[in-house]
Amino acid sequence: DVKVTQSSRYLVKRTGEKVFLECVQDMDHENMFWYRQDPGLGLRLIYFSYDVKMKEKGDIPEGYSVSREKKERFSLILESASTNQTSMYLCASSPQSGGETQYFGPGTRLLVL
Amino acid sequence: QKEVEQNSGPLSVPEGAIASLNCTYSDRGSQSFFWYRQYSGKSPELIMSIYSNGDKEDGRFTAQLNKASQYVSLLIRDSQPSDSATYLCAVAFLVDKIIFGKGTRLHILP
């Protein structure tokens, strides 16, 4: 079974703090993704990566950065957290590019005060 | 702008009946189609994938794809209260990207 884990289920941070969300997958997948999910807006892609040290902007990259130093780990960084970044953050991985199934981690619910 | 459209619901279906969930997509070049189920507060989990026109059955679930009409649906037979969730339609377009619909909330009435 594919397993995608995220470092925290719940996080509470203050405005202006730097926030790190970690995602690890154990199936040697090439592709990894970060989404946020908000009521009424659905899943929105923040960043994705097809390989180590490679990153591509998704639909809403502003205010975020990512790091992929190892194949199994994809980190999402909020450089200076703001209240409008309060959301559910979901990491996903897939085995290759070209429409393969994405497998999701359990999600991190982030509250920025 | 590639789009995946779903009715947000809620769709209320009596227990034991057939639930029918629908999804349309904008890009004719789409190759792969997925249905995910998401319980409240949880992450999406894949329940069906379909790649060619026609029906694909897996237990109580049937996915239907009509590429000419740009339409994909999910049927759930003998609906159970545990089927109550939000169902996300996802479509993979030619250029290595999956677009998710906003989901349909399904409520199975006991």
Side-chain angles (χ1 to χ4, degrees), chain A residues 70-89:
Chain A
K70 293 185 178 181
K71 190 175 185 179
E72 68 271 18
R73 188 180 299 269
F74 192 35
S75 303
L76 180 69
I77 303 152
L78 286 66
E79 297 289 344
S80 177
S82 62
T83 55
N84 63 13
Q85 292 178 309
T86 291
S87 186
M88 168 73 95
Y89 289 87

Side-chain angles (χ1 to χ4, degrees), chain B residues 29-71:
Chain B
S30 302
Q31 299 291 305
S32 309
F33 307 85
F34 308 91
W35 283 99
Y36 286 81
R37 177 177 62 202
Q38 186 175 23
Y39 293 115
S40 180
K42 303 294 186 182
S43 60
E45 55 177 329
L46 180 75
I47 52 173
M48 291 284 289
S49 59
I50 186 166
Y51 303 96
S52 55
N53 279 329
D55 294 0
K56 179 181 177 182
E57 188 174 319
D58 183 0
R60 295 187 296 112
F61 299 95
T62 299
Q64 299 175 318
L65 175 61
N66 184 327
K67 289 187 177 181
S69 300
Q70 296 172 239
Y71 179 93

